[in-house]
Amino acid sequence: MRDAADANRGLSRRRYLGSAATGIAGLTALAGCSGGGGGESGGSTTGGTASSGSDPVKLGVVDAQSGNAALGGTPKVQASQLAVEEINADGGILGRDVELYTPDPQSDINTFQQHARRLIEQEGVDALWCGIRSSVREAVRPIVDRNEQLYFYTTQYEGGVCDKYTFPMGATARQQLVPVMEYLVDEYGSNIYTIAADYNFGQLSADWIKILADNMDATVVGEEFVPLSQSQFSSSINRIQEADPDFIMSILVGQNHTSFYSQRASTGLDIPIGTSTSMALTYEHRRLDPPALANVHVGTNYMEEFPTDRNQAFVDRFYEMFPDARYLNQSGHNNYFSAHLYKQAAEQAGTTDQAEVIAALEGGMDISAPEGDITLNGSTHHMSHNMRIARADENHEISFLNGADGELIEPSFLQDVGCDLTSTTETTQYVPSDLPNAPSDL
């Protein structure tokens, strides 16, 4: 039980955490910790009642709270703060308080690197969470690997990272795309048009769409890659109309690409859309006016709308702490459960020594996440996930086409290419063309 001081701290936290701009400074001031007040210097937060004479366990979360990646990054920081509050209220980790560092990289890739380097090399964090986009992950991984730093990457992503020090907690492209593409092929037909962001994530996700289409006897009749800066889609919409696919696979990301959905609705383009990125990460169904997201289907391990008692309890706790939060997204959920997974691993290891915590994680672990019960595959560092197909209607109401519990899908890609981090130390990213019998056009 928390004492009165802790309860008052919780109330104060909720006042300060109404917006990302004031949240970090407020938490730092309330905690009375060293480390500055956000911005470039970041801040650290503590809370709870664990007591011992030892130093706190230090966790670092580097995610955008301002700039064009803040829509996805702010919920990750908030959900991490909720997890740390819960962990500290439950006695901390190994009887030690947890201290959370949450500097704002302001959506700038170089600043992500600077903060990651500072938290690793100067603050000595015991575990690091960092980045939304794959480009950030790949910019940070060399720093992580050089320092042999335990690193959790929590965004859904293209898959393939086989790295001794990296634990991808989000669903991979294969996990997300299989159920939604199977549904769309069965429901609408086998001709697919892919429109994707023109960088690592979009390109590799498009390769997965080709592989899965081939497995489903479907055909990619058109494919284009869009710069992250692009916000006008009239030419793309014309090309889609000319190709006349049965459905579109959209792997668009970021604020600029969001305009595709409003523009396709205004032109009357009513072809069904499948995606692994929209709604669950940056909640376009909440931000855009209907019917922009009508008939859009996303394969996802988490949305705050999941109609289960376990998830509703999680959502209630989140909004009690952050009453003005905009949305509890997929990556925020992944930050939350992975913080609890870290506690579980450290306590199983009996230490926060990173090599020993990694060894505990590599033994494989089950965890009861808000999405449902899931398992860490120790040899590949990836999670099984309960994948749902979420569809938005013309009013942006969400339904789950394969049920509230979804389908448990294992992370099989790295197993297929022979990644086993329990026996071989690697820092590799495999790509879909590394699969045995991959199509020759990848």
Side-chain angles (χ1 to χ4, degrees):
M1 294 291 291
R2 293 186 300 167
D3 60 21
D6 290 322
N8 289 334
R9 180 192 298 140
L11 291 171
S12 298
R13 287 166 72 110
R14 285 190 283 276
R15 285 199 297 269
Y16 276 91
L17 284 164
S19 69
T22 59
I24 304 307
L27 278 166
T28 303
L30 285 166
C33 299
S34 62
E40 285 295 313
S41 63
S44 59
T45 68
T46 61
T49 59
S51 87
S52 75
S54 57
D55 292 336
V57 177
K58 295 182 178 182
L59 307 182
V61 175
V62 183
D63 259 303
Q65 299 158 69
S66 59
N68 61 16
L71 283 170
T74 298
K76 297 175 72 175
V77 174
Q78 293 170 326
S80 299
Q81 291 166 341
L82 173 61
V84 167
E85 180 174 89
E86 291 178 355
I87 289 168
N88 280 333
D90 192 38
I93 296 175
L94 297 168
R96 297 160 57 191
D97 273 339
V98 176
E99 185 171 280
L100 181 65
Y101 291 78
T102 56
D104 180 9
Q106 302 172 341
S107 301
D108 176 72
I109 196 165
N110 292 323
T111 309
F112 269 104
Q113 291 176 304
Q114 292 166 11
H115 283 315
R117 188 177 294 111
R118 179 178 65 83
L119 292 187
I120 294 168
E121 297 176 358
Q122 297 179 29
E123 303 295 349
V125 293
D126 296 293
L128 177 72
W129 287 252
C130 181
I132 293 179
R133 292 176 181 158
S134 295
S135 53
V136 172
R137 183 195 67 241
E138 291 307 293
V140 166
R141 269 208 308 132
I143 302 168
V144 165
D145 294 338
R146 183 172 62 250
N147 289 279
E148 301 183 357
Q149 171 68 49
L150 172 56
Y151 169 44
F152 294 96
Y153 178 66
T154 57
T155 306
Q156 54 84 23
Y157 87 115
E158 69 277 2
V161 171
C162 177
D163 188 314
K164 183 69 175 179
Y165 309 105
T166 299
F167 287 79
M169 297 283 99
T172 65
R174 196 179 196 176
Q175 288 170 298
Q176 290 191 284
L177 294 173
V178 166
V180 73
M181 286 182 62
E182 285 181 339
Y183 175 83
L184 291 170
V185 168
D186 288 345
E187 189 74 15
Y188 297 106
S190 59
N191 290 332
I192 306 166
Y193 192 102
T194 299
I195 181 169
D198 191 12
Y199 77 113
N200 184 24
F201 169 71
Q203 293 156 1
L204 295 178
S205 294
D207 284 347
W208 277 115
I209 291 169
K210 288 180 182 176
I211 290 172
L212 297 176
D214 187 62
N215 292 341
M216 298 173 190
D217 293 323
T219 303
V220 176
V221 298
E223 179 183 78
E224 66 176 283
F225 297 96
V226 180
L228 292 172
S229 59
Q230 182 171 321
S231 59
Q232 294 299 315
F233 289 91
S234 58
S235 296
S236 297
I237 290 168
N238 288 337
R239 284 190 287 271
I240 292 169
Q241 290 171 325
E242 290 172 3
D244 192 26
D246 294 311
F247 64 92
I248 301 162
M249 287 304 297
S250 168
I251 312 296
L252 297 173
V253 302
Q255 185 64 29
N256 291 325
H257 288 183
T258 298
S259 60
F260 169 76
Y261 295 101
S262 297
Q263 290 172 32
R264 69 108 185 185
S266 67
T267 61
L269 182 68
D270 59 358
I271 298 170
I273 295 178
T275 182
S276 65
T277 54
S278 299
M279 300 196 295
L281 180 61
T282 49
Y283 38 100
E284 290 86 352
H285 63 299
R286 295 286 186 89
R287 297 189 295 111
L288 301 183
D289 291 334
L293 274 292
N295 215 16
V296 174
H297 308 71
V298 61
T300 180
N301 70 297
Y302 185 79
M303 291 180 74
E304 72 168 43
E305 290 89 351
F306 284 176
T308 64
D309 291 342
R310 181 189 298 187
N311 181 55
Q312 189 58 56
F314 171 53
V315 171
D316 289 346
R317 295 196 304 275
F318 179 81
Y319 283 105
E320 180 184 2
M321 188 171 183
F322 304 102
D324 297 324
R326 298 184 69 180
Y327 192 74
L328 176 49
N329 70 355
Q330 180 188 57
S331 297
H333 163 271
N334 297 342
N335 268 55
Y336 173 84
F337 85 71
S338 58
H340 285 279
L341 184 70
Y342 171 78
K343 169 184 167 70
Q344 186 175 319
E347 294 189 338
Q348 180 174 309
T351 178
T352 55
D353 177 83
Q354 293 190 41
E356 295 195 38
V357 174
I358 289 172
L361 290 166
E362 288 182 345
M365 288 191 166
D366 299 327
I367 189 162
S368 295
E371 71 171 81
D373 295 342
I374 52 179
T375 299
L376 173 66
N377 181 286
S379 64
T380 66
H381 293 190
H382 284 64
M383 301 296 302
S384 67
H385 279 294
N386 298 288
M387 303 306 301
R388 281 82 163 187
I389 305 167
R391 177 186 180 273
D393 67 13
E394 64 276 8
N395 298 312
H396 290 187
E397 295 295 324
I398 299 296
S399 57
F400 297 97
L401 303 181
N402 59 341
D405 295 326
E407 175 187 1
L408 187 67
I409 299 181
E410 300 295 330
S412 59
F413 172 36
L414 286 176
Q415 294 167 309
D416 291 345
V417 297
C419 171
D420 185 354
L421 293 163
T422 63
S423 62
T424 303
T425 296
E426 293 190 54
T427 57
T428 307
Q429 182 172 13
Y430 291 93
V431 296
S433 59
D434 292 321
L435 275 173
N437 303 315
S440 60
D441 61 343
L442 297 187

